[in-house]
Each structure stands twice: as C-alpha cells, then as structure tokens.
Amino acid sequence: MTFNAMNEHYEEITVCGKPALFTSIRIKRDTVPDGLYAYDVRHDDECRGIPCEIAPFIMVNHWETIILAEPLELPDDGRRYIDEEPDWNYSPLDADHIPCKTIQDFQNRYCA
C-alpha cells in the first residue's frame, strides 16, 4: 500500500549530509512534488532497524521512505549502501529550527 506524500506527517533527519523527511510508510511517487526526490530505505536482514541501503525502490525489507530537496548521488547500479556513522543522523541538519513535519514545511525551508 502506498500513500499520498502531501497528506502525511514526517520526521526531519539528515541523510548523507542533506536535510530529509522520513516516514516508515511507502510514498506514492507521483504525489511527490516536482523538485523533491523520494527514495526507499532498506533495513538489515536481522530486522534490527539499521538502515543499510538507499534506492529508488526497495521491495524486501522496506523500512522507510525519505524525501530530499536535492538528489542523492547513487552508484551505477542505483543503490547506495549506507555507512551509518557519516550517512545517517536522526537529527535535523540545522538543530536551531523547528523540524519540518510536512512536505509544505520542507519546501518552504529548503526549496525557497
């Protein structure tokens, strides 16, 4: 089941040094506004909730969807394996603002 990106609430995190919105549901790609980029995240095979891979689409072990204001660099195979220490942070990039919780908030902050 997929959901409309514009109707959901998110957590703001930092992925690969970029601000991102995070949700544990699958987001319907055609509901993501132009200028934003959606990716799926796969968790570890032991189901410990460790993010391990980012790709345009994840079928097995889908853990979450992330939305960014700029595209991620992906290798030729289209999958980026996550090095948790430098690539993943559950805090916003700028801790001095109220974290974005909607697509509209995120666009206003990072796409304006």
Side-chain angles (χ1 to χ4, degrees):
M1 191 165 187
T2 57
F3 296 86
N4 186 319
M6 301 305 290
N7 297 337
E8 301 306 319
H9 284 80
Y10 301 85
E11 293 179 50
E12 185 179 341
I13 64 171
T14 304
V15 176
C16 301
K18 301 173 192 254
L21 292 176
F22 156 99
T23 181
S24 61
I25 61 176
R26 289 185 186 270
I27 294 295
K28 225 185 269 190
R29 295 308 198 260
D30 64 355
T31 66
V32 176
D34 290 341
L36 296 180
Y37 302 86
Y39 301 91
D40 287 340
V41 178
R42 181 176 67 84
H43 66 79
D44 61 302
D45 290 334
E46 291 77 33
C47 298
R48 295 175 291 169
I50 298 170
C52 61
E53 181 181 13
I54 298 171
F57 178 77
I58 298 284
M59 177 61 90
V60 177
N61 291 354
H62 179 272
W63 188 46
E64 64 194 44
T65 301
I66 55 174
I67 298 175
L68 294 93
E70 57 186 270
L72 287 176
E73 288 186 36
L74 299 176
D76 291 338
D77 68 356
R79 302 183 168 286
R80 180 179 179 138
Y81 293 95
I82 298 170
D83 183 349
E84 197 172 3
E85 189 68 31
D87 292 344
W88 201 262
N89 188 332
Y90 286 103
S91 298
L93 183 62
D94 177 9
D96 293 335
H97 75 272
I98 296 171
C100 299
K101 298 218 180 275
T102 66
I103 293 281
Q104 191 66 47
D105 292 344
F106 193 74
Q107 286 180 301
N108 290 341
R109 178 166 299 280
Y110 297 107
C111 298

